[in-house]
Amino acid sequence: MYSRIIVIFLICLIPLITLVLAAVYHFSPEYQTPRFSGTFPPLLTAFAGLTAVYSMILLVLLAISNIKNKDASDKIKSVEKNNADLIKQNHGFQAKIDLLSATREISLILNEDVEFEIILTKSMEIITQLSSSYGETDAVTVFLKSGRDDKLIPVAKREKGVTYFEKELNRQNVNNKNVKESFEHQRLFLSVTGDEFDFSLPLVADREAVGVVKVKTILEGDAEERTRKVGQIQINLMEFAKIISLAIKTPTLYSRTITDSLTGLFSKRHFFAQIQTYFELSRRHKTPFSLLMIDIDHFKSVNDTYGHPVGDLVLREITKLIEKNLRKTSSAYRYGGEEIAIILPNTDLKGAIQAAERVRKKVESYRIIIQEGSKIEVTISLGVSEYNDHMEDVAHLISRADKSLYQAKQTGRNKVCSI
């Protein structure tokens, strides 16, 4: 800008000097003689004309240069704008690539394994990667709705590369700000403290809110850059939250199909699928396995005396006690009402009777606390049957266990029988 002003000044200065010199000479004593009266100094006139032409040419050239400079400046601005648009598009494409990659990773995990902790761990790792592209992710916490009272419980937290689960979490140190609001209103909440940005995002699958994911990220840069980063993080989290929600809900849905909601035991439907598998394995490999059928004695009397809520409490307490006293390889199922089935793999009749007797004694000595601190005691009857090569199908094995249970109930209850 300043160089252009200097050039224009110099161009105008040359003819100005010429005119000044001509004026000075015109009023000089030499020029006032009769010889020069009414004339103009020829050299000065010629020089003034040449400088005027020179100035005009320079001004034209300068004008053309200005036009070209303006065109060049406009082109540079256009290129810069195009570059900015391309960079923006590139960020958008990269974000989509990251989301597609994240989706693929979660899909692979779901196809290989549906263990809840594995899904949570991988989900939090991917969230950390997505948000770390724009800033330093400090922590990711997942809150899920409790199945009993619908409260939001922190079930996992990833911090400094380490994942902690519900049993390891110190809930007093878990930040739950905006979690309840995000869950109830099913929308993203953002709180800012200095350079810390705290995102609370609802997890919604099939129009059902299942929890909230909370991401704390440190963002650097000026206000405009931070605003851009926040917008991109929000887009990434909102898109990926849909995938996380389905990923988290998948094992939950599977669990619901095979689990009894009241007792937490496996369902009767799952029992038939499992016992068929064990039956075929035992037939193929000639290995033993046994079945226990359990019934809570006088359970109808408990319901009639104390009411169904107490009856449900008794059923839950007894099933917990039974599960606690089984081997890890054994599995318990709610067969119907107050009746429970236990599959004992690699266990012969003698071992099954011992296991049944151990469970019976534990229940017999157990006291259940009900309303107003009062306690009640219950007993169970058990029927045992063992697989053998002569059995044609699973129904034969179940029938023998049922008959054994019937015998235990008919001969006094609170005992173990096998036929």
Side-chain angles (χ1 to χ4, degrees):
M1 180 67 182
Y2 292 107
S3 61
R4 190 174 299 172
I5 293 172
I6 292 171
V7 170
I8 293 172
F9 176 75
L10 289 174
I11 292 172
C12 295
L13 185 62
I14 294 172
L16 182 62
I17 292 172
T18 304
L19 292 173
V20 169
L21 290 173
V24 170
Y25 189 74
H26 180 75
F27 293 103
S28 67
E30 293 81 2
Y31 188 72
Q32 301 301 320
T33 61
R35 180 184 172 186
F36 295 103
S37 180
T39 65
F40 196 81
L43 290 176
L44 286 175
T45 303
F47 188 67
L50 286 174
T51 54
V53 172
Y54 167 74
S55 299
M56 289 180 63
I57 292 172
L58 288 180
L59 286 171
V60 169
L61 292 175
L62 185 61
I64 293 172
S65 175
N66 285 339
I67 293 172
K68 288 184 177 180
N69 286 340
K70 187 177 183 303
D71 290 340
S73 178
D74 291 342
K75 287 180 180 179
I76 290 172
K77 289 180 180 178
S78 177
V79 169
E80 289 177 347
K81 184 178 182 301
N82 290 336
N83 285 340
D85 291 340
L86 287 173
I87 291 172
K88 188 176 180 180
Q89 289 178 8
N90 183 55
H91 284 313
F93 288 140
Q94 187 60 49
K96 289 180 180 179
I97 291 171
D98 291 342
L99 284 172
L100 288 173
S101 177
T103 304
R104 180 178 177 276
E105 288 188 57
I106 290 296
S107 299
L108 289 174
I109 289 295
L110 289 176
N111 287 332
E112 292 176 1
D113 207 328
V114 292
E115 287 188 20
F116 196 58
E117 290 190 355
I118 293 176
I119 293 173
L120 277 179
T121 300
K122 194 61 182 178
S123 297
M124 289 189 294
E125 284 179 5
I126 294 174
I127 290 173
T128 302
Q129 292 169 7
L130 287 175
S131 53
S132 292
S133 301
Y134 305 94
E136 182 184 350
T137 301
D138 189 50
V140 178
T141 310
V142 176
F143 297 78
L144 293 181
K145 181 176 67 173
S146 170
R148 293 185 178 180
D149 52 15
D150 288 345
K151 289 183 179 179
L152 289 170
I153 299 173
V155 296
K157 181 179 182 180
R158 186 170 180 81
E159 189 173 22
K160 296 180 180 179
V162 181
T163 302
Y164 304 94
F165 292 99
E166 186 175 356
K167 294 179 182 178
E168 303 167 307
L169 286 177
N170 182 353
R171 296 187 184 180
Q172 294 180 351
N173 294 332
V174 174
N175 178 12
N176 59 0
K177 183 180 180 181
N178 294 332
V179 170
K180 184 179 179 181
E181 292 80 2
S182 179
F183 182 80
E184 291 178 349
H185 298 285
Q186 293 190 20
R187 69 178 182 87
L188 186 148
F189 277 77
L190 172 63
S191 61
V192 182
T193 306
D195 58 356
E196 289 185 353
F197 290 74
D198 198 43
F199 301 84
S200 296
L201 192 70
L203 299 174
V204 182
D206 299 327
R207 298 182 181 180
E208 178 187 354
V210 296
V212 173
V213 60
K214 193 172 184 64
V215 182
K216 188 169 74 171
T217 302
I218 299 174
L219 299 179
E220 296 180 349
D222 56 25
E224 183 179 352
E225 186 178 3
R226 286 186 178 186
T227 301
R228 180 186 65 80
K229 289 180 178 179
V230 167
Q232 194 59 60
I233 291 174
Q234 286 180 342
I235 292 172
N236 285 352
L237 289 179
M238 290 174 71
E239 288 296 324
F240 191 58
K242 300 173 186 177
I243 304 166
I244 300 174
S245 302
L246 292 173
I248 290 174
K249 197 176 180 183
T250 296
T252 305
L253 290 173
Y254 175 71
S255 177
R256 287 180 185 177
T257 62
I258 65 172
T259 307
D260 174 65
S261 59
L262 177 61
T263 62
L265 299 178
F266 290 119
S267 65
K268 185 175 183 179
R269 180 179 179 180
H270 191 54
F271 165 75
F272 283 112
Q274 291 295 99
I275 198 170
Q276 184 66 44
T277 300
Y278 284 112
F279 190 89
E280 292 172 1
L281 286 172
S282 291
R283 174 170 287 179
R284 185 181 308 156
H285 300 292
K286 308 299 181 183
T287 55
F289 95 96
S290 298
L291 173 65
L292 304 184
M293 297 298 287
I294 304 173
D295 190 79
I296 299 176
D297 296 331
H298 306 294
F299 187 72
K300 185 177 182 301
S301 173
V302 173
N303 280 330
D304 292 342
T305 304
Y306 300 100
H308 288 281
V310 173
D312 292 344
L313 172 65
V314 168
L315 187 56
R316 284 195 297 267
E317 290 293 315
I318 295 301
T319 54
K320 286 179 184 178
L321 187 62
I322 291 172
E323 280 192 301
K324 186 178 179 180
N325 287 278
L326 293 175
R327 292 185 302 179
K328 291 183 178 180
T329 54
S330 303
S331 50
Y333 308 80
R334 187 180 182 187
Y335 193 74
E338 69 275 17
E339 200 167 353
I340 300 163
I342 309 290
I343 296 177
L344 305 172
N346 299 310
T347 306
D348 59 15
L349 184 62
K350 181 179 178 181
I353 291 174
Q354 289 176 348
E357 191 62 38
R358 182 174 64 252
V359 169
R360 185 195 67 78
K361 289 179 180 179
K362 288 289 183 180
V363 173
E364 183 182 34
S365 61
Y366 188 66
R367 301 295 180 268
I368 301 171
I369 301 175
I370 59 173
Q371 67 262 32
E372 298 178 358
S374 59
K375 300 179 181 179
I376 62 172
E377 54 185 80
V378 296
T379 58
I380 56 174
S381 299
L382 304 94
V384 185
S385 65
E386 179 191 12
Y387 162 81
N388 63 61
D389 293 336
H390 302 295
M391 292 181 176
E392 297 180 358
D393 52 31
V394 169
H396 192 180
L397 177 67
I398 296 174
S399 176
R400 286 180 66 88
D402 272 331
K403 289 178 181 178
S404 298
L405 175 61
Y406 181 78
Q407 184 182 51
K409 294 178 74 67
Q410 290 297 311
T411 56
R413 293 185 171 85
N414 190 24
K415 62 170 58 178
V416 178
C417 289
S418 63
I419 57 173

